[in-house]
Amino acid sequence: MKRNLLILFLLLIVLSITACGKSEDPFIPKQTESKNENNDKSDTPTSGGDKRYLILYCSRTNNTERVAQTIRTILNCDILEVEPQIPYDNDYNSMLGRAQKELEEIRQGNYPEVKTSIDNFDNYDIIFIGYPIWYSSMATPMQSFLHKHASKLSGKQMALFATSGSSGIATSVSEAQSICSESIFIEQSLLLTSLTLPQMESRITEWLDRIGADREESDAPENSSLNINIKIGDRTITATMENNAAARDFLSRLPLEITLKDYNNITEKIFYPSPALTTEGVTRGCTPTPGDITIYVPWGNVAIFCKSWSHSNDLIKIGHINGNGIEALSIDGDIPVKIEQY
């Protein structure tokens, strides 16, 4: 009798385990009605002034997002984040495990769901595609997005940019070309690794110049509008500003009446604009010479150099004092000045 009860008990356990084993496959997220509704929803990119370009990006650690936002600042264009249907776990090892499984699924032709969708790309000249590199491949959400929109991207120019720890970009480029075989890929792609990410702004600017992507400036200043007067008592000296976003921001605030503070034994004359001048998307790096007007990015101050100084990646040049005008500022102490555009 006891033996029969034991057999019956074991049978119940086996049946219970079998029933549990019929639950959803852990490798494939369960589909729901609300998910399908979201998949059919079209997303609207955040709009910029220049409608020729669209930036699409996916990002988990924000590195790719930083690159995308820098490109957007330079081009003043539309931007949209590509998001997975199911967010990734914050735990790094868990995320890696999921990424490996999704990459293997894609090789079998099964793309994970993304909740981002766009109706058409007709009005854009170039579509920028940004993503992190996972195990040498394009991050799976972007692969899924391209697969989902391949027909809509037919004939469109595509420019790829990526971030990685140290992996190359070649495999991901091949993946994109395979998924969107009817698209036109710009030959030069941009890769920023952990070693080159600190030079992000300069590398992005150089890349955009190489591929011929520039900002549409309907109200670009004439050469004469880059000139300023600096009045020091009864004397007026002149300067010519650079044609970059930081210098244009400076010009937009004129006229200014300020006091230039002496810094480092007449090496620089400085002041602090409020709010700080824009520096996003502007190429950094300057070896200042006497007369250079610069921004020291970490502090946000404008520094007019009276003496030569060593190269700094934290300096942005926004102008230069003409002729020997810097001599008027190369004196001890603070100097009240009035700066006007002419």
Side-chain angles (χ1 to χ4, degrees):
M1 182 67 178
K2 290 182 178 180
R3 181 179 179 183
N4 291 337
L5 289 175
L6 178 60
I7 293 173
L8 179 60
F9 179 69
L10 292 174
L11 181 61
L12 289 173
I13 291 176
V14 170
L15 290 173
S16 176
I17 292 173
T18 303
C20 291
K22 294 180 179 179
S23 63
E24 64 181 276
D25 187 338
F27 293 93
I28 304 174
K30 184 178 179 180
Q31 301 293 323
T32 65
E33 290 300 318
S34 61
K35 179 186 292 186
N36 290 332
E37 290 174 2
N38 287 337
N39 285 340
D40 294 335
K41 178 185 175 182
S42 177
D43 295 280
T44 302
T46 301
S47 182
D50 194 329
K51 300 297 183 182
R52 295 175 295 165
Y53 310 120
L54 170 65
I55 301 168
L56 298 167
Y57 73 93
C58 63
S59 185
R60 183 179 177 276
T61 63
N62 296 327
N63 285 335
T64 308
E65 181 176 15
R66 286 173 56 207
V67 178
Q69 292 293 348
T70 300
I71 296 172
R72 187 207 177 194
T73 298
I74 295 173
L75 298 180
N76 189 30
C77 62
D78 294 358
I79 190 170
L80 181 65
E81 181 179 5
V82 172
E83 299 180 79
Q85 185 64 58
I86 300 176
Y88 288 92
D89 199 311
N90 289 329
D91 179 75
Y92 184 64
N93 290 329
S94 174
M95 175 267 168
L96 290 180
R98 174 177 165 185
Q100 285 180 311
K101 293 173 185 177
E102 288 181 340
L103 287 169
E104 185 59 37
E105 285 290 314
I106 286 176
R107 295 185 189 104
Q108 302 301 319
N110 301 315
Y111 290 81
E113 295 287 345
V114 290
K115 64 181 181 181
T116 308
S117 178
I118 296 181
D119 284 338
N120 68 76
F121 303 87
D122 296 345
N123 296 326
Y124 297 110
D125 295 336
I126 299 177
I127 315 296
F128 289 88
I129 305 295
Y131 51 89
I133 292 176
W134 295 348
Y135 296 101
S136 298
S137 288
M138 176 184 288
T140 56
M142 187 57 74
Q143 289 199 55
S144 292
F145 179 89
L146 294 181
H147 179 261
K148 181 178 179 180
H149 294 80
S151 61
K152 296 178 184 179
L153 290 166
S154 176
K156 301 302 297 184
Q157 283 199 93
M158 312 241 301
L160 304 181
F161 65 93
T163 61
S164 75
S166 59
S167 300
I169 197 172
T171 299
S172 67
V173 171
S174 298
E175 289 167 339
Q177 292 172 339
S178 176
I179 296 170
C180 296
S181 58
E182 300 300 320
S183 298
I184 302 166
F185 286 87
I186 293 174
E187 186 173 343
Q188 297 186 43
S189 302
L190 174 67
L191 173 65
L192 291 169
T193 65
S194 56
L195 292 177
T196 58
L197 200 60
Q199 294 89 45
M200 175 179 64
E201 293 182 7
S202 60
R203 287 177 178 267
I204 288 173
T205 302
E206 292 169 2
W207 177 58
L208 293 176
D209 287 342
R210 288 199 305 270
I211 68 175
D214 56 4
R215 181 169 179 160
E216 193 172 61
E217 296 285 355
S218 58
D219 297 319
E222 301 291 338
N223 288 336
S224 60
S225 70
L226 298 176
N227 297 326
I228 61 174
N229 286 328
I230 303 175
K231 296 182 178 180
I232 311 160
D234 295 331
R235 183 176 177 180
T236 299
I237 61 176
T238 65
T240 302
M241 304 303 290
E242 298 286 314
N243 191 4
N244 60 36
R248 288 192 293 271
D249 189 10
F250 178 85
L251 289 169
S252 72
R253 304 187 189 194
L254 301 183
L256 284 174
E257 292 190 40
I258 56 173
T259 297
L260 294 175
K261 300 286 187 179
D262 188 45
Y263 184 78
N264 195 18
N265 297 321
I266 321 179
T267 299
E268 308 165 38
K269 297 293 184 179
I270 70 172
F271 77 96
Y272 289 84
S274 181
L277 295 170
T278 183
T279 59
E280 284 192 54
V282 183
T283 302
R284 297 190 191 187
C286 176
T287 305
T289 59
D292 280 349
I293 305 171
T294 68
I295 300 171
Y296 184 60
V297 177
W299 294 355
N301 65 285
V302 171
I304 303 175
F305 278 84
C306 302
K307 301 176 184 178
S308 296
W309 199 250
S310 57
H311 181 85
S312 172
N313 288 327
D314 289 322
L315 284 174
I316 293 175
K317 184 177 177 180
I318 62 171
H320 186 83
I321 293 176
N322 300 323
N324 297 321
I326 191 58
E327 295 175 356
L329 298 178
S330 301
I331 58 176
D332 194 21
D334 300 339
I335 305 174
V337 300
K338 182 176 183 179
I339 305 176
E340 299 176 316
Q341 191 173 3
Y342 75 91

